[in-house]
Amino acid sequence: MQETLQREFHTLLSQCDRIHWKNLELKILIQYAYMEKQIWEDKKLDYAVNDMLRVIEMAESLSKLKEEKQTS
């Protein structure tokens, strides 16, 4: 499941022109996505805000999976 989510996440990053984020720690990536989401909200670009919300959601899911894997 994690591998599938990881592939989907990389695809999403590519679609958002943020594929260079894929090597970042997930917590840092989430912070970047929140900052970028705010920028897009200020510019009233709803489609970009939605893209960043999807990035944040998937990154948080991946982060949670990694944490669960480490604790088990």
Side-chain angles (χ1 to χ4, degrees), residues 25-37:
E25 286 287 325
L26 286 171
K27 292 182 185 207
I28 294 169
L29 187 147
I30 291 167
Q31 290 174 355
Y32 279 172
Y34 272 113
M35 288 187 292
E36 187 149 320
K37 178 182 136 315

Side-chain angles (χ1 to χ4, degrees), residues 1-3 6 9 11 13-14 16-17 21 26 33-34 37 41-42 51 53 55 58-59 61-62 65 68-69 72:
M1 179 174 160
Q2 185 174 352
E3 291 175 12
Q6 188 78 39
F9 184 60
T11 300
L13 288 176
S14 180
C16 297
D17 294 327
W21 285 4
L26 286 171
Y34 272 113
K37 178 182 136 315
E41 283 175 343
D42 292 346
D51 286 347
L53 286 172
V55 166
M58 289 184 85
S61 294
L62 279 169
L65 281 173
E68 289 173 359
K69 191 174 184 179
S72 48

